Amino acid sequence: GGVFELGVPILGICYGAQMMSHMLGGLVEHAGKREYGVTLLCMGDSPLFNNIGDKNECLMSHTDKIVRVPDGFEIAAHTESCPVAAFQNPDKKFFGVQFHPEVEHTTFGKQLIHNFLYDVCGVSGDWTMADYAKRFIASAKEKIGDKKVLCALSGGVDSSVAALLLHKAVGDNLTCIFVDHGLLRKDEAKQVNDLFRGTYNINLISTDASEQFLGQLRGIS
């Protein structure tokens, strides 16, 4: 429940909306009959529905329903069989939707998520991976200076990206260590060595410890 005390916008989807209602004092009951399929949604006034028409199709998939919203909340949308298809407390920036905006069957789903991110959360939408890389490299240069850096390199995405960004920041002051434990894909060790030593010209210490690792696993099913 502490998430509701963080002072951040919250969007509950389907079960998330039900959980929000339940934890904040609303009432959730068994619907009697599961609602599944594309349903016409009747929308009220809400930041979630900016630049969206009054009636749109959405995908419902639930066996429980919210029958009473918590104090301080108001109903923002309904369907023929779902009295609380969306509810909100705009002052706290808490919103819940019973339908699924993330699926193609909800025709306005992308716009709803856009509205939550831009209009409610206030994001600017100016983040790019290229900008992040530039900021990280500059920050790493400042923090590391002329010191040496040791990087454990598995050849996977995470450590490979970390190694390449660090190499751009500190160059030859970076040393990577790659351990072949004998449980890699076919030819993967060679590919890692060829890529980082050859293509990227990174200082790489590579060791074949497969006998040690596989020896410890011998006889184990």
Side-chain angles (χ1 to χ4, degrees):
V3 67
F4 299 112
E5 308 300 325
L6 295 176
V8 297
I10 297 175
L11 174 62
I13 296 175
C14 194
Y15 179 76
Q18 296 172 2
M19 178 64 75
M20 182 189 300
S21 177
H22 172 74
M23 295 183 71
L24 296 180
L27 181 62
V28 179
E29 291 183 347
H30 188 61
K33 182 180 179 181
R34 180 189 181 196
E35 184 178 26
Y36 179 79
V38 176
T39 308
L40 197 63
L41 183 71
C42 299
M43 301 176 181
D45 186 25
S46 172
L48 293 184
F49 303 142
N50 289 344
N51 300 312
I52 296 173
D54 293 335
K55 292 185 177 181
N56 288 275
E57 290 183 338
C58 65
L59 181 71
M60 287 287 194
S61 178
H62 60 102
T63 54
D64 298 312
K65 64 180 180 180
I66 301 165
V67 296
R68 187 182 71 240
V69 299
D71 290 342
F73 283 75
E74 60 188 12
I75 298 173
H78 68 276
T79 70
E80 184 177 349
S81 59
C82 183
V84 185
F87 66 109
Q88 62 186 8
N89 183 328
D91 292 337
K92 290 188 174 182
K93 299 184 177 180
F94 292 172
F95 299 85
V97 294
Q98 184 60 68
F99 54 89
H100 287 270
E102 76 279 11
V103 300
E104 290 185 5
H105 294 87
T106 300
T107 55
F108 57 92
K110 287 184 179 179
Q111 183 65 46
L112 184 148
I113 294 172
H114 181 281
N115 291 342
F116 177 71
L117 292 175
Y118 285 77
D119 299 341
V120 177
C121 300
V123 303
S124 60
D126 59 357
W127 189 95
T128 68
M129 191 66 226
D131 286 341
Y132 170 78
K134 290 178 183 177
R135 289 197 301 271
F136 176 86
I137 292 167
S139 175
K141 281 182 179 180
E142 182 180 351
K143 290 179 180 177
I144 297 168
D146 293 329
K147 296 178 182 177
K148 303 291 186 180
V149 179
L150 192 64
C151 175
L153 177 64
S154 71
V157 173
D158 294 340
S159 65
S160 295
V161 170
L164 291 172
L165 289 174
L166 284 169
H167 188 247
K168 288 180 179 294
V170 302
D172 288 340
N173 278 344
L174 171 69
T175 298
C176 294
I177 296 180
F178 171 71
V179 178
D180 180 1
H181 47 58
L183 300 169
L184 300 170
R185 299 176 184 88
K186 186 177 186 295
D187 297 328
E188 187 173 9
K190 182 179 185 303
Q191 292 168 2
V192 170
N193 279 278
D194 290 348
L195 180 63
F196 288 92
R197 278 188 177 145
T199 304
Y200 296 122
N201 195 28
I202 289 177
N203 296 328
L204 176 63
I205 298 173
S206 181
T207 181
D208 183 354
S210 56
E211 185 175 337
Q212 179 183 351
F213 276 81
L214 294 175
Q216 293 291 321
L217 293 173
R218 187 171 288 114
I220 297 176
S221 298

